[in-house]
């Protein structure tokens, strides 16, 4: 829920920026769920644990493999569960019978509350940490200019986020920064190799520096 709130804040901040379109988050798409909250004290008073209640609900709704049926070498799972009209509505689910350890049973609604809700279609993780992606397309501007505007409105949020939450920039911007880093490294290596060649030719460590320092002056003639 915390990730959903912060991703919505970030999405709302970048939606109005020039050149930014189709802003979306990976948590906006949700599927309907029915949340069951068990009253642990009431359940304990009947000698029930959360696991026993959950197991009974799972058998009633999703079903449990009771046995296997064999026919001419083929095996078929025999799944035991309630008929659909006993589990397809919230009122019906409240009447799911939970077996008691000492015998008998009680309806689920007597020890739990049910409410409609929504959950994420999928939960993504990176390095065992939950992650949400905020994505957008760039149109009418270049990626560098767009990201400059994005970082200007998003980076200040880092100081407001709870401990353990971070913001990282990825996608094509990450690829572009990686490419720039590789170009800078290649440039440094090229200058180093030129210096080494000149140092070996002139048999001096100082003369290559003098020659290379005069190269910017050649721009005068070029221009």
């Amino acid at each position: 829920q915390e990730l959903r709130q912060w991703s919505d804040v970030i999405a709302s901040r970048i939606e109005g920026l020039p050149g930014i379109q189709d802003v979306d988050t990976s948590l906006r798409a949700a599927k309907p769920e029915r949340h069951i909250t068990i009253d642990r004290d009431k359940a304990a008073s009947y000698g029930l644990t959360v696991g026993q209640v959950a197991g009974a609900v799972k058998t009633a709704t999703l079903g449990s493999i009771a046995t296997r049926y064999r026919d001419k070498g083929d095996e078929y799972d025999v799944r035991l569960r309630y008929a659909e009209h006993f589990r397809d509505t919230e009122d019906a689910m409240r009447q799911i019978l939970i077996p008691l350890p000492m015998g008998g049973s009680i309806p689920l609604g007597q020890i739990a509350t049910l409410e409609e809700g929504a959950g994420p279609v999928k939960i993504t993780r990176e390095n065992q940490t939950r992650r949400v992606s905020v994505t957008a397309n760039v149109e009418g501007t270049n990626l560098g200019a767009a990201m400059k505007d994005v970082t200007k409105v998003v980076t200040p949020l880092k100081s407001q986020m709870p401990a353990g939450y971070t913001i990282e920039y990825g996608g094509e911007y990450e690829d572009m920064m990686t490419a720039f880093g590789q170009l800078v490294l290649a440039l440094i290596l090229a200058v180093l190799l030129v210096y080494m060649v000149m140092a070996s030719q002139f048999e001096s460590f100082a003369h290559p520096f003098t020659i290379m320092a005069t190269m910017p002056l050649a721009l005068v003639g070029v221009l």
Side-chain angles (χ1 to χ4, degrees), residues 42-49 52 100-101:
K42 286 184 179 180
S45 67
Y46 289 101
L48 293 169
T49 65
Q52 290 172 325
L100 298 175

Side-chain angles (χ1 to χ4, degrees), residues 59-72:
T59 298
T61 55
L62 299 179
S64 298
I65 305 300
T67 185
R68 285 183 171 83
Y69 170 70
R70 291 187 179 181
D71 180 31
K72 299 178 181 179

Side-chain angles (χ1 to χ4, degrees), residues 62-125:
L62 299 179
S64 298
I65 305 300
T67 185
R68 285 183 171 83
Y69 170 70
R70 291 187 179 181
D71 180 31
K72 299 178 181 179
D74 295 325
E75 284 192 353
Y76 304 90
D77 291 336
V78 178
R79 184 177 295 274
L80 176 69
R81 68 173 176 177
Y82 280 16
E84 187 172 355
H85 62 278
F86 287 116
R87 54 181 169 83
D88 62 349
T89 65
E90 189 171 314
D91 290 335
M93 289 190 65
R94 286 195 178 95
Q95 301 305 316
I96 292 176
L97 297 178
I98 310 298
L100 298 175
M102 303 302 292
S105 59
I106 59 172
L108 175 65
Q110 194 166 329
I111 57 172
T113 57
L114 286 78
E115 59 182 6
E116 297 292 334
V121 175
K122 65 177 181 179
I123 296 176
T124 55
R125 289 182 172 87

Side-chain angles (χ1 to χ4, degrees), residues 13-33:
R13 288 205 172 193
I14 67 177
E15 275 179 335
L17 296 176
I20 301 294
Q21 294 186 350
D22 307 324
V23 180
D24 197 7
T25 75
S26 58
L27 288 182
R28 279 188 178 172
K31 61 179 180 179
E33 293 181 340

Side-chain angles (χ1 to χ4, degrees), residues 146-194:
M147 283 305 302
K148 185 177 180 180
D149 293 336
V150 169
T151 54
K152 188 182 297 183
V153 298
V154 172
T155 301
L157 293 175
K158 290 184 177 182
S159 60
Q160 304 173 25
M161 302 180 80
Y165 287 80
T166 59
I167 298 175
E168 296 180 359
Y169 301 101
E172 293 183 9
Y173 176 74
E174 184 180 16
D175 296 338
M176 183 180 70
M177 296 306 296
T178 300
F180 282 163
Q182 293 174 344
L183 286 174
V184 170
L185 179 60
L187 178 61
I188 294 174
L189 290 175
V191 172
L192 181 61
L193 288 173
V194 170

Side-chain angles (χ1 to χ4, degrees), residues 112-150:
T113 57
L114 286 78
E115 59 182 6
E116 297 292 334
V121 175
K122 65 177 181 179
I123 296 176
T124 55
R125 289 182 172 87
E126 185 173 342
N127 297 326
Q128 300 183 351
T129 302
R130 286 193 180 187
R131 175 177 62 85
V132 56
S133 299
V134 181
T135 58
N137 291 322
V138 177
E139 185 173 338
T141 184
N142 60 75
L143 181 60
M147 283 305 302
K148 185 177 180 180
D149 293 336
V150 169

